[in-house]
Amino acid sequence: GVALRPGNNVMSLNFVLQDTASNAAAVQAFILGYISADVQIVSMHGSAASSENPILSVILDGLSMSFNFQPPKSQFISSINANAGLLGIQATARVENPLPQEIIMGDMDLSIRENTVQGVEVFSLNT
């Protein structure tokens, strides 16, 4: 059950991102914004089916609210080790996934440059 005390109450909610054909573009935009740590406006709309609890069901039915959501900044590439030899360059990248689900990348555009991101490009990979 749910106990609501007099005054303000804090309730935990679970956010489930459902990827369907009709909202695929919105899901992709949300995930890209998450990866970039952008501030995104999240709108929440409740219905009678929002909770199995009869009291919460009445409270959430018709509830509509928006809030700003910003995930923490994440660094996906944690390290790159490169070895230059007579036959070329061998590089190994350590990539972290901070999201709670698998990321499948369709395309990758990688550029390795000397010293800084503005340095001379020594290797490029665009799939």
Side-chain angles (χ1 to χ4, degrees):
V2 175
L4 296 176
R5 297 186 178 117
N8 290 328
N9 291 267
V10 177
M11 298 168 52
S12 296
L13 302 173
N14 289 328
F15 174 75
V16 178
L17 189 62
Q18 295 183 347
D19 189 5
T20 64
S22 63
N23 72 353
V27 168
Q28 182 178 6
F30 180 81
I31 291 173
L32 289 175
Y34 188 102
I35 291 169
S36 304
D38 294 338
V39 175
Q40 300 184 79
I41 297 174
V42 175
S43 298
M44 190 170 77
H45 304 283
S47 71
S50 295
S51 175
E52 293 178 6
N53 181 287
I55 295 173
L56 282 180
S57 177
V58 171
I59 293 170
L60 296 174
D61 189 21
L63 176 69
S64 182
M65 61 183 292
S66 295
F67 55 92
N68 290 335
F69 171 78
Q70 183 175 23
K73 290 189 183 268
S74 300
Q75 186 158 341
F76 285 80
I77 299 175
S78 59
S79 67
I80 296 178
N81 294 318
N83 295 314
L86 297 174
L87 301 175
I89 297 175
Q90 178 184 8
T92 304
R94 182 176 174 90
V95 181
E96 304 288 334
N97 176 5
L99 300 177
Q101 64 187 43
E102 184 178 76
I103 298 174
I104 299 172
M105 297 191 315
D107 299 309
M108 182 170 49
D109 186 0
L110 174 68
S111 176
I112 298 177
R113 297 174 176 272
E114 289 181 352
N115 300 322
T116 69
V117 293
Q118 288 84 23
V120 175
E121 184 174 69
V122 295
F123 179 79
S124 176
L125 174 66
N126 190 346
T127 60

